[in-house]
Amino acid sequence: MKVKVKAEIQNFVSIILGILSAAIGLKGFLLSSKFIDGGVTGISMLVAETTGLPISILIFVINAPFLYLGYRRLGLLFAIKSALAIGGLSLCLAFVHFPDVTPDKLLTAVFGGFFIGVGSGLAMRAGAVLDGTEIAAVLVSKQTQLLRVSDVVLLLNVIIFSTAALFLGVESALYSILTYVAASKMIDYILNGVEQYTGITVVSTKSDVIRRVITQRLGRGVTIYSGKSGYGKDGQINDPRDIIFTVATRLEIPSIKQAILKIDPSAFIVQQSIDDTTGGLLKRKGIH
């Protein structure tokens, strides 16, 4: 019970820091330069710029339908956290003063996106969102097999930035795209960080030696598949051999590959990005 309470306190602090970071990105950089972000935040900024309505109200109102969808699909706790996060961002934009940091357009676009991305990433780590775009993208992607979540987000942002070019001008739209790219990169870094995982598949005639090195010297867990060779440099067909699969951080990949190739220079190694992992031996074991 204490662990759960501690985790929720950490989530609460993370959401507050995310709200402050996103507010700095908006009021300290983007709004004065008439640049926008992508997603619901970008729609709110565009509507505020063209109609004069307060962005603090628009962000909450436009996100409200997505919060309801999030409640229906992802549960009450997610909806409450997200409502508090978005409501906190609205209040912060309405009542907290942030100075305009720089008039330089390039710095404004990059660092505006940087702070918004950090804010969104911190909120996501805490189980909430500051922008309802992802919720809508998940729902749309489930209705059709042709579009992934990233495809839906991309199409939505193409529409937003095209509209921005029409109402704000091409230059502002281009800087806004740069803002969105910076924000996306920071969200990815906050969620994955330097410990982004990579899967490694190894096919070798010396698989048992490689397995022992990975598990005993490098401290990583492995999964062994039973397989047969097709046609390779050794000329053997249907020769039984073990196939090794392991997951490591991208910082550990060079040392693992170096150890494998030292044992078997002709080993076949395949790497692929891992979006998420659950369970298993993901953290390094203590080596004594």
Side-chain angles (χ1 to χ4, degrees):
M1 185 66 181
K2 291 182 179 180
V3 175
K4 186 175 182 180
V5 172
K6 183 179 179 180
E8 289 304 323
I9 292 175
Q10 291 175 341
N11 289 338
F12 181 71
V13 172
S14 182
I15 289 174
I16 292 177
L17 293 176
I19 290 171
L20 292 174
S21 180
I24 291 172
L26 290 170
K27 293 192 73 174
F29 290 92
L30 299 182
L31 292 178
S32 61
S33 298
K34 298 183 179 180
F35 299 162
I36 68 172
D37 188 25
V40 174
T41 303
I43 296 173
S44 303
M45 297 171 74
L46 186 59
V47 173
E49 185 62 37
T50 54
T51 64
L53 294 173
I55 186 173
S56 56
I57 295 177
L58 288 170
I59 280 184
F60 192 83
V61 170
I62 297 177
N63 270 300
F66 300 103
L67 290 174
Y68 176 72
L69 292 175
Y71 161 68
R72 293 289 302 273
R73 297 286 183 173
L74 301 173
L76 179 61
L77 182 60
F78 170 82
I80 291 175
K81 284 184 177 181
S82 298
L84 290 175
I86 295 170
L89 178 60
S90 298
L91 292 174
C92 197
L93 292 175
F95 298 109
V96 180
H97 173 70
F98 295 96
D100 190 14
V101 177
T102 176
D104 186 275
K105 293 182 178 180
L106 181 60
L107 292 177
T108 295
V110 172
F111 283 95
F114 171 87
F115 282 106
I116 290 176
V118 169
S120 297
L122 289 174
M124 288 181 183
R125 286 186 72 100
V129 294
L130 291 176
D131 190 299
T133 307
E134 295 289 342
I135 302 173
V138 169
L139 297 180
V140 171
S141 66
K142 286 183 177 180
Q143 300 300 319
T144 174
Q145 299 298 320
L146 298 177
L147 297 175
R148 297 173 298 174
V149 174
S150 57
D151 297 329
V152 177
V153 173
L154 178 61
L155 289 174
L156 176 61
N157 285 319
V158 166
I159 296 173
I160 293 172
F161 292 127
S162 298
T163 306
L166 182 63
F167 287 98
L168 303 180
V170 175
E171 184 182 53
S172 291
L174 293 176
Y175 277 116
S176 297
I177 293 173
L178 183 59
T179 297
Y180 169 70
V181 171
S184 299
K185 292 297 182 182
M186 285 312 303
I187 290 174
D188 179 65
Y189 183 80
I190 292 295
L191 294 180
N192 299 311
V194 294
E195 285 201 334
Q196 185 175 17
Y197 291 107
T198 299
I200 306 176
T201 302
V202 183
V203 182
S204 170
T205 56
K206 301 179 181 178
S207 57
D208 191 58
V209 180
I210 293 172
R211 176 190 61 79
R212 289 200 299 269
V213 168
I214 294 176
T215 56
Q216 297 175 15
R217 195 206 308 173
L218 302 177
R220 280 287 168 187
V222 300
T223 298
I224 306 296
Y225 298 99
S226 295
K228 292 183 178 180
S229 66
Y231 179 80
K233 294 180 180 179
D234 55 12
Q236 295 174 320
I237 301 175
N238 292 327
D239 180 38
R241 63 186 60 184
D242 290 335
I243 300 171
I244 300 172
F245 177 78
T246 187
V247 177
T249 66
R250 56 187 175 186
L251 295 181
E252 296 172 312
I253 297 301
S255 61
I256 292 177
K257 289 181 65 177
Q258 183 178 12
I260 293 171
L261 294 175
K262 186 176 181 180
I263 297 169
D264 183 3
S266 62
F268 181 59
I269 304 173
V270 180
Q271 295 178 214
Q272 68 265 22
S273 297
I274 304 294
D275 292 332
D276 194 13
T277 54
T278 302
L281 181 60
L282 295 179
K283 297 297 182 182
R284 179 187 294 274
K285 296 193 300 182
I287 304 299
H288 304 287

